[in-house]
Amino acid sequence: MGTPLSGIPHRRLNRLTGEYVLVSPHRTARPWQGQVEDPVPDSRPAYDPDCYLCPGNTRAGGARTARYSSTYVFDNDFAALLPDTAPAAPASGGLLVAEAERGICRVLCFSPRHDLTLGGMGTREIRQVVDAWTQQYTELGAIPWVAHVLIFENRGAMMGASNPHPHGQIWAEERLPNEAVKESARQRAHDGCLLCDYLAAELADGERLVASNDEFVALVPFWAVWPFETLVLPRSHAGSLPGLTEPARDGLADILGRLTRRYDRLFGVTFPYSMGLHQTPTDGAEHPEWHLHGHFYPPLLRSATIRKFMVGYELLAGPQRDITPEKAAEQLRELSEGSPR
Ligand code: H2U
Ligand code: ZN
């Protein structure tokens, strides 16, 4: 594929969404001068008596978090969607369209240890998270009215995480949300599997690869919007976590640990991000076009404190970036991965 137009303003097509991103590489003529430091040691305790996610503690709503020893799932005490929302008649009075939306929101603690992050957990512990995600996708997706299950993690205050305890969320709902609608349409429109073909092109090119193992590849997508955005892809076609083989589940755990440790070393801080897994809709239809993948959207641009803002052009026209995806991949690739704590 090669890197086209590497020195001039250009736009790139996001094959998954059909949207363009503007790239302005000439604005980053200065060489990379950012220091690469070891992550600042986290001073969090292994157990925090005031943390609502630590084993045995009372949550805000009064419920008690169990004394768990690996992963722990509970219904979100402040759920954005509710399972018993009555299917009200759509209020589509002309231009004003609204419809009731049923859903189930859960919180998943990755570890009983308050002081860990995915990158600090060993592959075996992350594999337990992968298994919990698989189980949740299967269980929630099997509910007849659930059409979509989103698994995600907000990490760091910058991304709105309410608590540093390692945890993620799961939102299951009645209809496909916007991103799933766009990605479904683009994958369906492609002749063959879009992401199998895309991964083959990226492996042949190599310029945007960050880390890989026998089962999974992490790369900065050609159309990345966030400076250090990455896409995590299984090498073999699978639409969802239950479709992964045992070695592939281990491979996913391995790549998640290694990728997040690279992130943590980039600016020497626990790297903030929102990450999520996009999987086959559970709407009862056949979706051979869907290829499981993970998106990492980190907000940081140049240091632990300089973030990318989505303002101006981004809000009013479309996403724009300066540092090229190739440069970002190179920076992430050159870091050592370190090891879990
Ligand atoms: P975030 O850190 O990504 O915001 O996720 C934490 C979720 O935990 C959030 O959705 C829920 C919040 O509603 N929560 C509980 O369910 N119980 C609590 O006691 C506090 C927070
Ligand atoms: Zn905790």
Side-chain angles (χ1 to χ4, degrees):
M1 205 187 293
T3 307
L5 315 162
S6 59
I8 60 169
H10 62 275
R11 55 186 213 149
R12 299 186 185 194
L13 177 62
N14 182 332
R15 288 283 181 184
L16 266 177
T17 62
E19 293 168 348
Y20 281 92
V21 53
L22 198 60
V23 187
S24 313
H26 60 293
R27 288 174 76 183
T28 52
R30 66 176 197 111
W32 168 246
Q33 295 171 326
Q35 283 192 12
V36 176
E37 298 159 63
D38 281 336
V40 178
D42 228 315
S43 54
R44 277 181 283 154
Y47 168 78
D48 178 351
D50 295 324
C51 168
Y52 60 82
L53 298 179
C54 274
N57 291 355
T58 304
R59 298 203 297 273
R64 186 177 289 274
T65 295
R67 293 191 183 280
Y68 62 104
S69 57
S70 61
T71 59
Y72 176 65
V73 189
F74 62 92
D75 284 331
N76 197 312
D77 299 309
F78 307 95
L81 291 162
L82 303 166
D84 44 13
T85 303
S92 57
L95 293 177
L96 310 182
V97 179
E99 44 202 6
E101 181 74 0
R102 273 186 293 181
I104 297 171
C105 297
R106 291 182 175 165
V107 177
L108 169 67
C109 299
F110 296 163
S111 162
R113 286 267 305 269
H114 187 78
D115 56 338
L116 292 183
T117 60
L118 279 183
M121 291 164 62
T123 307
R124 212 165 334 136
E125 284 82 54
I126 303 177
R127 170 62 204 263
Q128 291 174 334
V129 176
V130 170
D131 288 346
W133 285 337
T134 308
Q135 209 265 326
Q136 289 299 309
Y137 173 86
T138 303
E139 179 188 316
L140 292 167
I143 297 171
W145 55 265
V146 169
H148 190 262
V149 180
L150 179 71
I151 288 165
F152 65 100
E153 176 192 9
N154 295 320
R155 191 168 90 171
M158 204 179 267
M159 293 310 286
S162 57
N163 182 325
H165 193 110
H167 70 282
Q169 299 192 43
I170 301 151
W171 292 29
E173 65 186 300
E174 200 170 355
R175 299 186 185 84
L176 268 62
N178 297 344
E179 293 304 302
V181 169
K182 284 186 273 184
E183 292 193 358
S184 254
R186 303 303 295 194
Q187 289 182 96
R188 212 169 31 237
H190 185 78
D191 185 15
C193 173
L194 174 65
L195 288 178
C196 281
D197 290 351
Y198 174 64
L199 179 57
E202 288 290 10
L203 288 172
D205 185 309
E207 230 186 338
R208 282 167 296 277
L209 303 183
V210 173
S212 64
N213 56 36
D214 288 348
E215 301 288 343
F216 270 83
V217 177
L219 53 88
V220 178
F222 181 74
W223 50 74
V225 165
W226 295 92
F228 295 96
E229 174 178 336
T230 53
L231 185 64
V232 174
L233 291 166
R235 289 180 188 266
S236 300
H237 185 80
S240 59
L241 293 170
L244 291 180
T245 61
E246 286 289 314
R249 288 179 206 193
D250 286 338
L252 175 57
D254 172 73
I255 208 75
L256 290 175
R258 289 167 51 200
L259 176 62
T260 53
R261 284 199 297 280
R262 280 177 186 273
Y263 274 146
D264 290 349
R265 292 172 98 82
L266 187 61
F267 298 136
V269 289
T270 301
F271 214 65
Y273 60 70
S274 274
M275 73 80 93
L277 298 176
H278 278 161
Q279 308 187 67
T280 304
T282 55
D283 54 1
E286 289 293 318
H287 290 286
E289 75 281 7
W290 260 89
H291 191 112
L292 161 73
H293 57 279
H295 293 284
F296 276 81
Y297 298 136
L300 292 180
L301 174 63
R302 203 165 305 183
S303 70
T305 51
I306 302 179
R307 60 165 296 163
K308 173 173 176 62
F309 286 100
M310 288 289 192
V311 294
Y313 187 88
E314 277 94 346
L315 282 181
L316 295 155
Q320 183 272 344
R321 63 181 293 138
D322 294 345
I323 174 182
T324 62
E326 293 71 35
K327 271 270 162 234
E330 190 184 316
Q331 284 177 29
L332 286 170
R333 203 166 48 231
E334 282 174 355
L335 296 164
S336 80
E337 277 170 1
S339 45
R341 276 195 245 174

